[in-house]
């Protein structure tokens, strides 16, 4: 179950004619304005090749076929990397244990990744072995609600067969009381629907730091400027 832009490829069980239910590979697009362009990709998808070799390759390695087309069409993957999602899920699981009311706000485009009644949490992760630089993508990201605390988690991750995957963390969160239907909707919003290949990649956390984002923490917000507003004409600030 892979998606990019307005295209998707997925396996599904359906009934065709009188042959009974079976598992089929689908290529689909919801964008009718590009149906002629999409039909060219469909022709390649459906072509078995002179000796059937193209069909055999597609059925054996559909992800390889998909990734070739995705690279050719110049898709810039904007979904979060699996290790970044896993880091957020790890912190989310910590919050589930200590808070009755917790929201994974990042999955719905929130300014902060995790929201609790008394605090907000921003989660930054990296695969770099050294250094602790993080990129803050807007002046809102480390902005504080004076009525709530704000904390930043820094997670150093590493790809490992001995680590955990998104699927592993999903099972852990559900066993700890997080709603399964809500979690799947949130993962879908981040580009990780059930069956997505990235959900099975495993990472382990080598280091986890927690910082209180107070008046001494390095940050740029609207409050950093005169009158508590960004300079005229400046709409966004990104910094490291």
């Amino acid at each position: 179950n892979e998606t990019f832009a307005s295209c998707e490829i997925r396996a599904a069980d359906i009934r065709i004619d009188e042959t009974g239910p079976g598992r089929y590979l689908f290529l689909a697009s919801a964008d009718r304005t590009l149906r002629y362009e999409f039909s060219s990709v469909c022709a390649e998808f459906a072509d078995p090749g002179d000796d059937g070799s193209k069909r055999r390759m597609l059925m054996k390695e559909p992800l390889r076929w998909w990734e070739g087309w995705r690279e050719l069409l110049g898709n810039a993957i904007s979904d979060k990397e699996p290790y970044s999602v896993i880091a957020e899920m790890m912190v989310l699981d910590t919050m589930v244990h200590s808070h009755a009311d917790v929201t994974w706000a990042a999955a719905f485009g929130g300014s902060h990744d995790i929201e609790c009644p008394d605090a907000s949490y921003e989660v930054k992760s990296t695969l770099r072995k050294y250094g602790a630089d993080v990129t803050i993508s807007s002046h809102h990201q480390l902005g504080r609600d004076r009525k709530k605390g704000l904390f930043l988690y820094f997670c150093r991750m590493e790809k490992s067969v001995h680590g955990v995957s998104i699927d592993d963390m999903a099972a852990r969160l559900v066993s700890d009381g997080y709603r399964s239907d809500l979690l799947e909707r949130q993962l879908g919003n981040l580009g990780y629907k059930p069956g997505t290949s990235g959900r099975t990649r495993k990472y382990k956390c080598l280091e986890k730091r927690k910082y209180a984002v107070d008046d001494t923490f390095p940050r740029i917000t609207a409050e950093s400027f005169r009158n508590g507003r960004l300079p005229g004409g400046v709409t966004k600030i990104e910094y490291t």
Side-chain angles (χ1 to χ4, degrees), residues 126-133 154 156-157 206-207 209:
T126 183
L127 294 179
R128 296 192 303 270
K129 291 290 192 297
Y130 306 102
D133 293 348
F154 173 79
R156 197 181 307 280
M157 309 293 286
L206 300 177
E207 177 186 8
R209 308 181 192 175

Side-chain angles (χ1 to χ4, degrees), residues 103-169:
T103 303
W104 190 10
F108 296 122
S111 296
H112 301 123
D113 293 323
I114 297 170
E115 293 284 1
C116 296
D118 59 343
S120 303
Y121 298 86
E122 190 64 29
V123 184
K124 296 294 183 180
S125 53
T126 183
L127 294 179
R128 296 192 303 270
K129 291 290 192 297
Y130 306 102
D133 293 348
V134 297
T135 297
I136 308 302
S137 59
S138 81
H139 59 283
H140 296 297
Q141 205 163 40
L142 294 186
R144 285 192 300 143
D145 180 343
R146 291 293 178 179
K147 298 178 181 179
K148 297 174 64 173
L150 176 60
F151 297 89
L152 184 143
Y153 274 91
F154 173 79
C155 301
R156 197 181 307 280
M157 309 293 286
E158 179 181 75
K159 196 167 187 177
S160 171
V161 294
H162 303 295
V164 294
S165 65
I166 290 175
D167 279 343
D168 293 333
M169 284 306 306

Side-chain angles (χ1 to χ4, degrees), residues 27-41:
L27 186 68
S29 174
D31 190 343
R32 294 182 60 83
T33 63
L34 296 175
R35 58 188 181 277
Y36 296 114
E37 292 81 358
F38 179 63
S39 66
S40 299
V41 184

Side-chain angles (χ1 to χ4, degrees), residues 48-82:
D50 293 337
D51 57 357
S53 59
K54 289 174 64 176
R55 175 64 52 79
R56 287 193 295 273
M57 188 280 286
L58 174 64
M59 297 301 292
K60 183 179 180 181
E61 299 183 83
L63 190 61
R64 176 184 165 194
W65 180 90
W66 172 258
E67 289 175 342
W69 270 102
R70 186 175 64 186
E71 182 175 349
L72 175 66
L73 297 175
N75 178 54
I77 302 174
S78 58
D79 296 332
K80 289 189 175 185
E81 292 290 340

Side-chain angles (χ1 to χ4, degrees), residues 93-237:
D93 191 49
T94 300
M95 296 301 108
V96 167
H97 281 286
S98 57
H99 294 77
D101 184 11
V102 56
T103 303
W104 190 10
F108 296 122
S111 296
H112 301 123
D113 293 323
I114 297 170
E115 293 284 1
C116 296
D118 59 343
S120 303
Y121 298 86
E122 190 64 29
V123 184
K124 296 294 183 180
S125 53
T126 183
L127 294 179
R128 296 192 303 270
K129 291 290 192 297
Y130 306 102
D133 293 348
V134 297
T135 297
I136 308 302
S137 59
S138 81
H139 59 283
H140 296 297
Q141 205 163 40
L142 294 186
R144 285 192 300 143
D145 180 343
R146 291 293 178 179
K147 298 178 181 179
K148 297 174 64 173
L150 176 60
F151 297 89
L152 184 143
Y153 274 91
F154 173 79
C155 301
R156 197 181 307 280
M157 309 293 286
E158 179 181 75
K159 196 167 187 177
S160 171
V161 294
H162 303 295
V164 294
S165 65
I166 290 175
D167 279 343
D168 293 333
M169 284 306 306
R172 183 183 301 178
L173 278 161
V174 171
S175 70
D176 289 336
Y178 202 81
R179 280 176 46 200
S180 176
D181 59 329
L182 174 60
L183 182 60
E184 285 301 334
R185 192 161 72 249
Q186 291 171 326
L187 287 171
N189 287 349
L190 294 173
Y192 292 98
K193 295 179 181 179
T196 304
S197 57
R199 288 180 60 138
T200 60
R201 297 175 195 159
K202 292 181 178 285
Y203 296 83
K204 63 181 179 181
C205 185
L206 300 177
E207 177 186 8
K208 183 163 65 175
R209 308 181 192 175
K210 180 183 178 183
Y211 298 94
V213 180
D214 54 22
D215 292 334
T216 66
F217 193 86
R219 64 195 179 106
I220 300 174
T221 68
E223 295 175 349
S224 304
F225 300 91
R226 185 179 300 171
N227 300 324
R229 294 187 299 179
L230 295 185
V234 176
T235 58
K236 181 181 176 183
I237 293 175

